[in-house]
Amino acid sequence: MILYIFIGVCLLIWLVEFLFRIPKISNLSNKYVLITGCDSGFGNELAIQLDGKGIHVIASCLTEKARNELGSSLSQRSSAILMNVADHGSVQEALNKVREIIPKSEGLWGLVNNAGIGGYGGAMEWWSRDEYKRVLDVNLFGLIDVTKVFTPMLKQGRGRIVNVASICGRVVIPEAGYCISKFGVECFSDEIRVQLKAFGISVCIIEPGFFRTSLTDGFFAPVRAKWAELSPETRQEFGGQEVLESRIARVSKSLDSLPSRDTGKVVNSMEHALTAKYPKKRYSVGYDAKLYFIPLSYMPSVVTDFLFRDD
């Protein structure tokens, strides 16, 4: 009997929250949303999806080629601009461009910090300080810089900040840089959510599980390149070529089977964070995130250490 009551209460809570999240904000056609990292992947898909729903999208790309390609896919209401989030001068130039696009009477409704690069597989000692810094400059410090620069426009629009973290910001999968940066995104987002609430700005975090994107494709090329640079003594210390190939084969098998190809789940979560009247604070996206990584994040460290041991 107690079990049935517990299940009934859980279902009721789920239903109430589901209904609570349905209402959308009005006047979407008057909203302006800036998205970083639109060259490919989630950012590219989100820009096209929001544009199709009447929102004024300002999609930033790293390369001229990507900007031109995406610009040709957007309607006249939307724009594609250049921005390197790791370069403060480029971020300032993007701010000036956004100010030209958005009418002075309107503020910025949404900022989606989506730009990111992958980390490096292999042992910590293999990778230099500069290689760690390269990942952090884009995934964390770039996100912080873009947020700081565009916050005045967000205050005017009393809008939303949507920061793309990862399930790797909740559970560490050993590699160089990526998890560190995503833990930082989680922390920064929690901090500014409290600070900016007084200004009418909501902060949401997107925590995708493993999805097939450019970050998962080509994961092993840097590892092989770095391995080739190591001294024979270092390679032998880590087990030699046979051990490397065995580990690559094991991870490759996981990357072939684990990542979902339904990237629309992540994009829809981003859209909900921008358009829902009552958005969630966190969106854990994917069955692996909800059923494996989130529960795992509450486990004792000895459990995660065992599961991700490198032997």
Side-chain angles (χ1 to χ4, degrees):
M1 182 65 180
I2 295 177
L3 178 61
Y4 290 131
I5 293 175
F6 175 76
I7 294 174
V9 170
C10 289
L11 289 174
L12 180 61
I13 292 173
W14 177 85
L15 179 61
V16 169
E17 187 193 20
F18 176 79
L19 296 174
F20 183 69
R21 305 294 182 188
I22 290 177
K24 301 285 187 179
I25 60 171
S26 58
N27 300 322
L28 284 176
S29 60
N30 295 330
K31 305 298 185 185
Y32 288 81
V33 174
L34 171 65
I35 311 169
T36 67
C38 293
D39 297 67
S40 61
F42 300 142
N44 187 281
E45 293 180 38
L46 179 64
I48 294 172
Q49 184 164 308
L50 293 183
D51 177 62
K53 297 192 175 181
I55 296 174
H56 297 267
V57 175
I58 306 171
S60 78
C61 299
L62 179 62
T63 68
E64 185 77 40
K65 180 175 182 290
R67 182 185 73 164
N68 293 336
E69 290 177 353
L70 179 57
S72 65
S73 301
L74 299 175
S75 68
Q76 292 185 348
R77 80 172 66 87
S78 297
S79 307
I81 65 173
L82 290 174
M83 177 164 55
N84 178 359
V85 301
D87 180 347
H88 181 68
S90 177
V91 175
Q92 288 288 346
E93 290 177 8
L95 172 64
N96 295 333
K97 184 65 176 177
V98 171
R99 282 174 173 165
E100 293 175 3
I101 294 171
I102 300 179
K104 291 185 178 180
S105 59
E106 301 286 340
L108 183 63
W109 169 254
L111 168 62
V112 182
N113 282 308
N114 169 74
I117 59 175
Y120 303 104
M124 171 268 295
E125 299 116 291
W126 299 1
W127 305 102
S128 68
R129 178 183 183 276
D130 286 341
E131 286 164 327
Y132 271 89
K133 185 174 180 294
R134 175 176 175 268
V135 179
L136 294 172
D137 279 346
V138 176
N139 293 3
L140 179 57
F141 299 128
L143 179 147
I144 293 173
D145 191 28
V146 171
T147 302
K148 285 173 60 65
V149 166
F150 284 94
T151 289
M153 297 192 74
L154 287 160
K155 286 181 177 179
Q156 183 183 355
R158 298 181 68 83
R160 310 269 174 91
I161 297 173
V162 180
N163 288 334
V164 181
S166 167
I167 207 62
C168 292
R170 302 286 290 272
V171 176
V172 173
I173 297 175
E175 51 70 74
Y178 187 76
C179 292
I180 299 170
S181 69
K182 294 305 182 180
F183 266 80
V185 171
E186 295 269 355
C187 179
F188 177 69
S189 301
D190 285 340
E191 176 187 352
I192 64 172
R193 184 174 60 249
V194 176
Q195 295 176 347
L196 296 178
K197 184 177 181 180
F199 299 97
I201 299 175
S202 299
V203 179
C204 305
I205 306 172
I206 309 294
E207 299 173 332
F210 281 88
F211 286 82
R212 178 70 68 183
T213 68
S214 58
L215 293 186
T216 55
D217 295 336
F219 179 78
F220 301 109
V223 177
R224 294 186 186 279
K226 178 59 67 173
W227 179 262
E229 296 174 5
L230 300 177
S231 67
E233 293 78 14
T234 301
R235 289 199 292 266
Q236 188 60 38
E237 179 186 1
F238 286 94
Q241 189 71 33
E242 183 177 346
V243 172
L244 174 70
E245 295 301 332
S246 174
R247 290 175 177 172
I248 287 178
R250 186 173 68 236
V251 176
S252 179
K253 184 177 180 180
S254 297
L255 289 179
D256 285 340
S257 59
L258 186 59
S260 169
R261 297 184 182 275
D262 187 7
T263 54
K265 292 179 180 179
V266 179
V267 175
N268 290 338
S269 295
M270 293 174 170
E271 180 186 333
H272 187 273
L274 290 166
T275 62
K277 192 172 183 180
Y278 306 107
K280 298 178 181 180
K281 300 296 185 290
R282 275 181 166 81
Y283 293 80
S284 298
V285 190
Y287 291 118
D288 59 334
K290 292 182 172 70
L291 302 179
Y292 180 66
F293 288 106
I294 292 297
L296 190 61
S297 70
Y298 293 101
M299 294 288 182
S301 295
V302 66
V303 176
T304 54
D305 288 353
F306 173 78
L307 291 173
F308 297 121
R309 67 193 186 282
D310 192 11
D311 55 30

